[in-house]
Amino acid sequence: MIEWRTACAYDFNINLGKSGKFAKRFLSEDEYKRILETYADADIKRNWESLKLMMELFRKYQEEVAQQLGFEFNKLEAVYAMEYFNTHNHK
């Protein structure tokens, strides 16, 4: 979703490289730091926190991409997914 969002911002006139290896060039420092926070270590609590952040970022970027490309975004489905996560994760 990061790649789609970035490509939309540049009218698909950029190359983010294989697996988005050049995406950092097109992200703000804050965005890049938040994405790095989605990588967790062996601590189970941090793994859950990272997954939650990943879901939040995905939703944000998904909404932006849908709007830019004229797709319908099912907000209710996104809310239900987060509710499910919040009630079923092991904090």
Short mmCIF file of all heavy atoms in Angstrom, two decimals, residues 36-67:
data_model
loop_
_atom_site.label_atom_id
_atom_site.label_comp_id
_atom_site.label_asym_id
_atom_site.label_seq_id
_atom_site.Cartn_x
_atom_site.Cartn_y
_atom_site.Cartn_z
N LEU A 36 9.29 1.97 9.97
CA LEU A 36 10.31 1.16 10.63
C LEU A 36 9.81 0.60 11.96
O LEU A 36 10.21 -0.49 12.37
CB LEU A 36 11.59 1.96 10.85
CG LEU A 36 12.41 2.30 9.61
CD1 LEU A 36 13.65 3.10 10.01
CD2 LEU A 36 12.80 1.05 8.84
N GLU A 37 8.90 1.33 12.61
CA GLU A 37 8.34 0.86 13.87
C GLU A 37 7.46 -0.37 13.69
O GLU A 37 7.13 -1.05 14.66
CB GLU A 37 7.52 1.97 14.54
CG GLU A 37 8.37 3.10 15.07
CD GLU A 37 7.52 4.27 15.59
OE1 GLU A 37 6.31 4.09 15.81
OE2 GLU A 37 8.08 5.36 15.74
N THR A 38 7.07 -0.68 12.45
CA THR A 38 6.27 -1.87 12.22
C THR A 38 7.12 -3.14 12.24
O THR A 38 6.59 -4.24 12.24
CB THR A 38 5.49 -1.81 10.89
OG1 THR A 38 6.40 -1.82 9.79
CG2 THR A 38 4.60 -0.58 10.83
N TYR A 39 8.43 -2.98 12.25
CA TYR A 39 9.33 -4.12 12.37
C TYR A 39 9.60 -4.36 13.85
O TYR A 39 10.13 -3.50 14.54
CB TYR A 39 10.66 -3.85 11.64
CG TYR A 39 10.50 -3.80 10.15
CD1 TYR A 39 10.16 -2.62 9.50
CD2 TYR A 39 10.68 -4.94 9.38
CE1 TYR A 39 10.00 -2.57 8.12
CE2 TYR A 39 10.53 -4.91 8.01
CZ TYR A 39 10.19 -3.71 7.39
OH TYR A 39 10.04 -3.68 6.03
N ALA A 40 9.23 -5.52 14.31
CA ALA A 40 9.35 -5.82 15.74
C ALA A 40 10.54 -6.73 16.00
O ALA A 40 11.18 -7.24 15.08
CB ALA A 40 8.07 -6.49 16.23
N ASP A 41 10.79 -6.94 17.26
CA ASP A 41 11.85 -7.85 17.67
C ASP A 41 11.23 -9.06 18.34
O ASP A 41 10.08 -9.39 18.08
CB ASP A 41 12.85 -7.12 18.59
CG ASP A 41 12.17 -6.46 19.78
OD1 ASP A 41 11.08 -6.92 20.19
OD2 ASP A 41 12.72 -5.48 20.31
N ALA A 42 11.94 -9.70 19.23
CA ALA A 42 11.45 -10.93 19.86
C ALA A 42 10.45 -10.66 20.99
O ALA A 42 9.82 -11.59 21.48
CB ALA A 42 12.62 -11.74 20.40
N ASP A 43 10.28 -9.42 21.39
CA ASP A 43 9.36 -9.09 22.47
C ASP A 43 7.92 -9.19 21.97
O ASP A 43 7.52 -8.46 21.04
CB ASP A 43 9.64 -7.69 23.00
CG ASP A 43 8.75 -7.33 24.17
OD1 ASP A 43 7.63 -6.83 23.91
OD2 ASP A 43 9.17 -7.55 25.32
N ILE A 44 7.11 -10.05 22.56
CA ILE A 44 5.76 -10.29 22.08
C ILE A 44 4.88 -9.05 22.17
O ILE A 44 4.08 -8.78 21.27
CB ILE A 44 5.11 -11.50 22.80
CG1 ILE A 44 3.83 -11.94 22.07
CG2 ILE A 44 4.79 -11.18 24.25
CD1 ILE A 44 4.07 -12.60 20.77
N LYS A 45 5.05 -8.25 23.22
CA LYS A 45 4.25 -7.02 23.36
C LYS A 45 4.56 -6.06 22.21
O LYS A 45 3.66 -5.47 21.62
CB LYS A 45 4.52 -6.36 24.71
CG LYS A 45 3.65 -5.14 24.94
CD LYS A 45 3.87 -4.53 26.32
CE LYS A 45 2.88 -3.42 26.52
NZ LYS A 45 3.39 -2.21 26.96
N ARG A 46 5.83 -5.90 21.89
CA ARG A 46 6.21 -5.01 20.78
C ARG A 46 5.72 -5.56 19.44
O ARG A 46 5.43 -4.80 18.52
CB ARG A 46 7.70 -4.76 20.78
CG ARG A 46 8.11 -3.77 21.87
CD ARG A 46 9.53 -3.26 21.68
NE ARG A 46 10.55 -4.29 21.84
CZ ARG A 46 11.14 -4.58 23.00
NH1 ARG A 46 10.82 -3.93 24.08
NH2 ARG A 46 12.07 -5.52 23.06
N ASN A 47 5.63 -6.87 19.32
CA ASN A 47 5.09 -7.46 18.10
C ASN A 47 3.63 -7.05 17.90
O ASN A 47 3.23 -6.68 16.80
CB ASN A 47 5.19 -8.99 18.13
CG ASN A 47 6.52 -9.47 17.63
OD1 ASN A 47 6.78 -9.44 16.44
ND2 ASN A 47 7.37 -9.89 18.54
N TRP A 48 2.84 -7.11 18.97
CA TRP A 48 1.44 -6.70 18.88
C TRP A 48 1.32 -5.21 18.59
O TRP A 48 0.49 -4.79 17.77
CB TRP A 48 0.68 -7.06 20.16
CG TRP A 48 0.37 -8.52 20.26
CD1 TRP A 48 0.93 -9.41 21.13
CD2 TRP A 48 -0.53 -9.28 19.45
NE1 TRP A 48 0.43 -10.67 20.92
CE2 TRP A 48 -0.49 -10.61 19.89
CE3 TRP A 48 -1.38 -8.96 18.40
CZ2 TRP A 48 -1.26 -11.62 19.32
CZ3 TRP A 48 -2.15 -9.97 17.83
CH2 TRP A 48 -2.08 -11.27 18.29
N GLU A 49 2.17 -4.40 19.22
CA GLU A 49 2.16 -2.96 18.96
C GLU A 49 2.53 -2.66 17.51
O GLU A 49 1.92 -1.79 16.87
CB GLU A 49 3.12 -2.24 19.91
CG GLU A 49 2.67 -2.26 21.36
CD GLU A 49 3.75 -1.81 22.33
OE1 GLU A 49 4.90 -1.52 21.89
OE2 GLU A 49 3.47 -1.76 23.54
N SER A 50 3.50 -3.38 16.99
CA SER A 50 3.93 -3.19 15.61
C SER A 50 2.83 -3.58 14.64
O SER A 50 2.60 -2.89 13.64
CB SER A 50 5.18 -4.03 15.32
OG SER A 50 6.26 -3.58 16.09
N LEU A 51 2.16 -4.68 14.92
CA LEU A 51 1.07 -5.11 14.06
C LEU A 51 -0.06 -4.09 14.06
O LEU A 51 -0.62 -3.76 13.01
CB LEU A 51 0.54 -6.48 14.50
CG LEU A 51 -0.64 -7.03 13.70
CD1 LEU A 51 -0.31 -7.14 12.22
CD2 LEU A 51 -1.06 -8.38 14.27
N LYS A 52 -0.38 -3.56 15.22
CA LYS A 52 -1.44 -2.54 15.30
C LYS A 52 -1.05 -1.30 14.49
O LYS A 52 -1.87 -0.76 13.74
CB LYS A 52 -1.72 -2.16 16.75
CG LYS A 52 -2.87 -1.19 16.88
CD LYS A 52 -3.23 -0.92 18.32
CE LYS A 52 -4.44 -0.01 18.39
NZ LYS A 52 -4.85 0.26 19.75
N LEU A 53 0.18 -0.85 14.63
CA LEU A 53 0.64 0.31 13.85
C LEU A 53 0.57 0.01 12.36
O LEU A 53 0.14 0.85 11.56
CB LEU A 53 2.05 0.71 14.26
CG LEU A 53 2.69 1.83 13.45
CD1 LEU A 53 1.84 3.11 13.53
CD2 LEU A 53 4.11 2.09 13.92
N MET A 54 0.97 -1.19 11.97
CA MET A 54 0.92 -1.57 10.56
C MET A 54 -0.51 -1.51 10.04
O MET A 54 -0.76 -1.00 8.94
CB MET A 54 1.48 -2.99 10.37
CG MET A 54 1.62 -3.40 8.94
SD MET A 54 2.23 -5.09 8.71
CE MET A 54 3.68 -5.12 9.72
N MET A 55 -1.44 -1.98 10.83
CA MET A 55 -2.85 -1.93 10.43
C MET A 55 -3.34 -0.49 10.30
O MET A 55 -4.06 -0.15 9.36
CB MET A 55 -3.71 -2.69 11.43
CG MET A 55 -3.49 -4.19 11.41
SD MET A 55 -4.36 -5.05 12.74
CE MET A 55 -6.06 -4.81 12.23
N GLU A 56 -2.92 0.37 11.22
CA GLU A 56 -3.33 1.77 11.17
C GLU A 56 -2.76 2.48 9.94
O GLU A 56 -3.46 3.23 9.26
CB GLU A 56 -2.88 2.49 12.45
CG GLU A 56 -3.64 2.05 13.68
CD GLU A 56 -3.03 2.55 14.99
OE1 GLU A 56 -1.92 3.13 14.97
OE2 GLU A 56 -3.66 2.32 16.03
N LEU A 57 -1.48 2.22 9.66
CA LEU A 57 -0.86 2.84 8.49
C LEU A 57 -1.50 2.33 7.20
O LEU A 57 -1.76 3.10 6.27
CB LEU A 57 0.65 2.57 8.47
CG LEU A 57 1.45 3.29 9.54
CD1 LEU A 57 2.90 2.80 9.53
CD2 LEU A 57 1.40 4.79 9.36
N PHE A 58 -1.75 1.02 7.15
CA PHE A 58 -2.38 0.44 5.96
C PHE A 58 -3.73 1.10 5.71
O PHE A 58 -4.04 1.48 4.59
CB PHE A 58 -2.54 -1.07 6.12
CG PHE A 58 -3.03 -1.74 4.87
CD1 PHE A 58 -2.13 -2.23 3.94
CD2 PHE A 58 -4.38 -1.86 4.60
CE1 PHE A 58 -2.58 -2.84 2.77
CE2 PHE A 58 -4.84 -2.46 3.44
CZ PHE A 58 -3.93 -2.95 2.52
N ARG A 59 -4.51 1.25 6.76
CA ARG A 59 -5.84 1.86 6.60
C ARG A 59 -5.72 3.30 6.09
O ARG A 59 -6.43 3.71 5.18
CB ARG A 59 -6.62 1.83 7.90
CG ARG A 59 -7.97 2.49 7.71
CD ARG A 59 -8.77 2.58 8.93
NE ARG A 59 -10.00 3.33 8.63
CZ ARG A 59 -10.92 3.59 9.50
NH1 ARG A 59 -10.80 3.19 10.73
NH2 ARG A 59 -11.98 4.28 9.16
N LYS A 60 -4.80 4.05 6.67
CA LYS A 60 -4.61 5.44 6.25
C LYS A 60 -4.22 5.50 4.77
O LYS A 60 -4.81 6.25 3.99
CB LYS A 60 -3.52 6.09 7.11
CG LYS A 60 -3.18 7.50 6.70
CD LYS A 60 -2.06 8.04 7.55
CE LYS A 60 -1.78 9.47 7.14
NZ LYS A 60 -0.44 9.75 6.80
N TYR A 61 -3.24 4.70 4.39
CA TYR A 61 -2.77 4.72 3.01
C TYR A 61 -3.83 4.14 2.06
O TYR A 61 -3.99 4.62 0.95
CB TYR A 61 -1.46 3.96 2.87
CG TYR A 61 -0.31 4.58 3.63
CD1 TYR A 61 0.82 3.84 3.95
CD2 TYR A 61 -0.33 5.91 4.04
CE1 TYR A 61 1.88 4.41 4.64
CE2 TYR A 61 0.73 6.48 4.74
CZ TYR A 61 1.84 5.72 5.03
OH TYR A 61 2.88 6.28 5.71
N GLN A 62 -4.55 3.13 2.52
CA GLN A 62 -5.60 2.53 1.72
C GLN A 62 -6.68 3.57 1.39
O GLN A 62 -7.15 3.65 0.25
CB GLN A 62 -6.21 1.36 2.49
CG GLN A 62 -7.39 0.70 1.85
CD GLN A 62 -8.02 -0.34 2.76
OE1 GLN A 62 -7.92 -0.26 3.98
NE2 GLN A 62 -8.66 -1.32 2.17
N GLU A 63 -7.04 4.35 2.37
CA GLU A 63 -8.06 5.37 2.17
C GLU A 63 -7.58 6.43 1.17
O GLU A 63 -8.33 6.85 0.29
CB GLU A 63 -8.39 6.03 3.52
CG GLU A 63 -9.75 6.62 3.59
CD GLU A 63 -10.20 6.91 5.02
OE1 GLU A 63 -9.53 6.52 5.99
OE2 GLU A 63 -11.25 7.56 5.14
N GLU A 64 -6.33 6.84 1.29
CA GLU A 64 -5.77 7.83 0.37
C GLU A 64 -5.72 7.31 -1.06
O GLU A 64 -6.10 8.01 -2.01
CB GLU A 64 -4.37 8.24 0.82
CG GLU A 64 -4.34 9.04 2.10
CD GLU A 64 -2.93 9.34 2.59
OE1 GLU A 64 -1.98 9.23 1.78
OE2 GLU A 64 -2.77 9.66 3.78
N VAL A 65 -5.26 6.07 -1.22
CA VAL A 65 -5.16 5.48 -2.55
C VAL A 65 -6.55 5.32 -3.17
O VAL A 65 -6.76 5.64 -4.34
CB VAL A 65 -4.41 4.13 -2.50
CG1 VAL A 65 -4.55 3.37 -3.81
CG2 VAL A 65 -2.94 4.36 -2.17
N ALA A 66 -7.49 4.83 -2.39
CA ALA A 66 -8.86 4.66 -2.90
C ALA A 66 -9.42 5.99 -3.39
O ALA A 66 -10.02 6.05 -4.46
CB ALA A 66 -9.74 4.07 -1.81
N GLN A 67 -9.20 7.04 -2.63
CA GLN A 67 -9.71 8.36 -3.01
C GLN A 67 -9.04 8.84 -4.30
O GLN A 67 -9.71 9.33 -5.21
CB GLN A 67 -9.48 9.37 -1.89
CG GLN A 67 -10.06 10.74 -2.19
CD GLN A 67 -9.84 11.72 -1.05
OE1 GLN A 67 -8.92 11.59 -0.27
NE2 GLN A 67 -10.71 12.70 -0.97
#
